[in-house]
């Protein structure tokens, strides 16, 4: 919905949905299998793709303490070319490089990622490194001084990818990936549409292998994105249903975090994340140019990339209330739309009441499921806050036009307010 313009501070207003007729929609070939024994469809997918050497990429826990990878290997049979099980949290350059070397040595013609966000993103980079011959520094997003960021085109054909999720993630069917290198002051960003998956699996038993801590942080991340998407000013006639249903499903999943026996909330979170991505593909907008969304995303990403013990969900919830209060007035109508979706703002209320109401409601919601609402609760030193800001200045998704550089002092003060 596009809110009304020209309001005066404190003036009661009403928000009417107005559709944007100028949009671009794209769709990508994808098969999705969900529910009990969904993985039984894996061999048929391998045959459909004409693959003979399927290579599994995962983390150690999934491979060495659970039976999930053993189950997948048994399902694949002779088509399984091998396993790389050392993909780490937040996807290190070392891990993706070793995985690419292993997949190449195995003659892989198909990659099967088994895990959540880090593994899913890492497998995309594995496909890129297997195919591209240029040095890695030429494959990542470039940040020229005082100029917009540049994402290089990666033209080499890529092997197909199948994603088997163990937890909900918006990475499940996207094309961008972030990699961590301890020798750099910011994450390495890769983007290649050819690394979108050809198939997704939301297998009930696979999703039930995730520990409650992972379910909580991923569900909070999915809810956060569904919530902020309610305020994006651009709404194509194709995206509204996906946006509203994603929020509804993410609420359902978040409210049922403690149920360790029913896969339904976990599949609901996967579906919400999928709908968020489809919303973007059919003309919606994730950030919508909103300062609250962009800064929260940049801060949270910098936090969980630099501090491995912090999950993405915890990082999001820890900074959101303070950012909403401080920067919400920059986008008052969008904040009213978010607050309206949260049930704390109504037609006829003043716009400038929306940021504080939304922030308070989010503190209540996140607190009710045991998520932090201050950075001080994350167990990171306060002296690390300036570095969080510096890392935030190089985040293509949040700031492709490099606007944050001109707002460094504001961001430094704001991250202190998040503490």
């Amino acid at each position: 919905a596009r809110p009304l313009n020209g309001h005066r501070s404190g003036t009661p207003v009403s928000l009417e949905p107005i559709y944007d007729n100028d949009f671009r929609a794209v769709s990508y070939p994808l098969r999705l299998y969900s529910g009990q024994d969904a993985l039984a469809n894996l061999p048929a997918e391998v045959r459909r793709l004409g693959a003979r050497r399927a290579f599994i990429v995962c983390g150690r826990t999934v491979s060495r303490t659970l039976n999930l990878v053993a189950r997948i290997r048994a399902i694949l049979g002779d088509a399984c070319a091998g396993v790389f099980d050392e993909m780490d949290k937040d996807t290190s350059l070392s891990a993706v490089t070793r995985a690419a070397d292993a997949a190449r040595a195995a003659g892989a013609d198909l990659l099967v990622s088994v895990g959540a966000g880090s593994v899913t993103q890492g497998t995309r980079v594995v496909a890129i490194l297997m195919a591209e011959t240029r040095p890695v520094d030429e494959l990542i997003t470039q940040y020229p001084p005082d100029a917009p960021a540049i994402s290089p085109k990666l033209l080499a054909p890529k092997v197909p990818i199948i994603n088997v999720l163990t937890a909900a993630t918006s990475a499940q069917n996207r094309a961008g990936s972030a990699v961590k290198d301890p020798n750099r002051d910011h994450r390495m960003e890769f983007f290649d549409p050819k690394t979108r998956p050809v198939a997704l699996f939301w297998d009930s038993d696979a999703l039930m292998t995730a520990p409650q801590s992972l379910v909580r942080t991923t569900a909070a991340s999915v809810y956060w994105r569904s919530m902020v998407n309610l305020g994006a000013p651009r709404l194509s006639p194709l995206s509204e249903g996906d946006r509203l249903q994603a929020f509804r499903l993410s609420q359902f999943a978040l409210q049922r975090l403690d149920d360790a026996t029913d896969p339904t909330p976990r599949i609901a979170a996967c579906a919400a994340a999928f709908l968020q991505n489809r919303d973007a593909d059919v003309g919606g907008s994730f950030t919508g140019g909103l300062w609250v969304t962009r800064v929260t995303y940049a801060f949270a990403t910098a936090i969980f990339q630099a501090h491995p013990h912090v999950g993405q969900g915890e990082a999001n919830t820890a900074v959101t209330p303070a950012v909403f209060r401080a920067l919400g007035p920059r986008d008052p109508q969008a904040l009213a739309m978010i607050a309206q979706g949260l049930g704390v703002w109504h037609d006829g209320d003043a716009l400038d009441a929306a940021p504080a109401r939304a922030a308070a409601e989010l503190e209540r919601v996140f607190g009710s499921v045991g998520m932090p609402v201050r950075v001080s609760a994350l167990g990171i030193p306060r002296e690390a806050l300036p570095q969080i800001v510096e890392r935030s200045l190089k985040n293509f998704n949040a700031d492709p036009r490099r606007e944050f550089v001109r707002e460094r002092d504001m961001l430094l003060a704001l991250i202190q307010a998040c503490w």
Side-chain angles (χ1 to χ4, degrees):
R2 181 184 296 164
L4 302 176
N5 294 312
H7 75 282
R8 291 181 299 161
S9 178
T11 303
V13 297
S14 297
L15 303 181
E16 296 291 339
I18 300 176
Y19 299 108
D20 188 347
N21 295 325
D22 299 323
F23 65 92
R24 173 178 178 266
V26 295
S27 61
Y28 300 90
L30 173 72
R31 296 194 180 191
L32 191 155
Y33 300 90
S34 177
Q36 193 65 39
D37 296 323
L39 281 172
N41 296 284
L42 188 55
E45 276 300 300
V46 174
R47 290 192 298 270
R48 183 178 69 85
L49 296 165
R52 297 178 180 273
R53 306 284 294 170
F55 189 82
I56 298 171
V57 180
C58 62
R60 293 182 180 181
T61 300
V62 169
S63 174
R64 303 181 190 184
T65 65
L66 303 170
N67 69 352
L68 178 56
V69 170
R71 176 187 168 202
I72 293 174
R73 295 191 71 161
I75 290 172
L76 288 172
D78 292 341
C80 183
V83 177
F84 178 86
D85 67 355
E86 296 186 358
M87 191 61 68
D88 48 13
K89 182 181 181 295
D90 299 330
T91 323
S92 71
L93 178 60
S94 171
V96 296
T97 301
R98 288 183 289 115
D101 290 342
R104 193 182 298 109
D109 57 7
L110 169 70
L111 298 177
V112 180
S113 78
V114 183
S118 295
V119 172
T120 304
Q121 291 192 68
T123 303
R124 288 197 283 268
V125 181
V126 171
I128 290 171
L129 297 182
M130 288 175 64
E132 301 287 345
T133 58
R134 287 180 289 166
V136 68
D137 281 332
E138 296 181 17
L139 306 178
I140 59 176
T141 301
Q142 309 295 313
Y143 287 90
D146 302 318
I150 302 170
S151 182
K153 293 186 180 299
L154 310 180
L155 301 178
K158 308 300 186 296
V159 297
I161 297 173
I162 290 175
N163 292 332
V164 178
L165 298 193
T166 57
T169 173
S170 61
Q172 62 183 296
N173 62 323
R174 302 308 289 171
S177 300
V179 168
K180 184 167 63 175
D181 179 1
N183 298 316
R184 301 170 193 260
D185 63 356
H186 64 284
R187 64 181 188 168
M188 306 168 70
E189 296 169 325
F190 296 80
F191 178 80
D192 188 343
K194 296 184 295 300
T195 61
R196 285 179 179 259
V198 294
L200 285 177
F201 285 83
W202 302 341
D203 182 88
S204 296
D205 290 338
L207 290 168
M208 293 306 291
T209 64
Q212 287 297 103
S213 58
L214 178 59
V215 173
R216 178 174 288 103
T217 190
T218 56
S221 292
V222 172
Y223 174 84
W224 177 84
R225 182 173 166 186
S226 296
M227 174 270 299
V228 296
N229 275 356
L230 296 176
R234 181 181 179 185
L235 180 64
S236 87
L238 295 178
S239 66
E240 182 180 29
D242 286 346
R243 184 164 297 180
L244 297 176
Q245 179 66 357
F247 182 65
R248 180 173 176 267
L249 287 168
S250 68
Q251 280 184 310
F252 170 83
L254 194 68
Q255 292 165 357
R256 289 160 176 78
L257 285 178
D258 293 332
D259 191 340
T261 61
D262 183 5
T264 303
R266 302 185 186 207
I267 291 177
C270 291
F274 181 87
L275 291 176
Q276 291 167 357
N277 291 341
R278 194 169 70 177
D279 166 16
D281 287 340
V282 299
S285 172
F286 163 42
T287 64
L290 305 183
W291 278 91
V292 292
T293 310
R294 295 168 57 202
V295 171
T296 299
Y297 178 78
F299 278 178
T301 301
I303 289 170
F304 73 76
Q305 288 281 335
H307 303 280
H309 70 280
V310 180
Q312 183 174 3
E314 288 84 356
N316 280 334
T317 65
V319 301
T320 295
V323 172
F324 268 46
R325 289 190 173 96
L327 297 185
R330 293 193 178 195
D331 300 294
Q333 296 166 329
L335 265 291
M337 293 159 63
I338 293 173
Q340 188 176 56
L342 293 171
V344 294
W345 191 94
H346 307 280
D347 283 350
D349 291 347
L351 286 183
D352 40 7
R357 291 186 190 179
E361 176 62 9
L362 291 170
E363 285 176 332
R364 185 196 68 78
V365 170
F366 295 144
S368 70
V369 294
M371 298 297 288
V373 294
R374 308 293 298 183
V375 173
S376 55
L378 298 178
I380 64 177
R382 189 163 191 168
E383 54 267 28
L385 298 184
Q387 187 60 39
I388 291 170
V389 171
E390 293 308 309
R391 288 175 177 266
S392 299
L393 299 181
K394 294 183 177 181
N395 186 311
F396 182 82
N397 287 336
D399 188 34
R401 295 186 298 274
R402 307 299 309 278
E403 294 175 296
F404 286 3
V405 174
R406 299 190 297 272
E407 300 271 2
R408 180 184 269 109
D409 291 343
M410 180 275 291
L411 295 174
L412 284 168
L414 179 52
I415 194 64
Q416 293 290 340
C418 293
W419 182 260

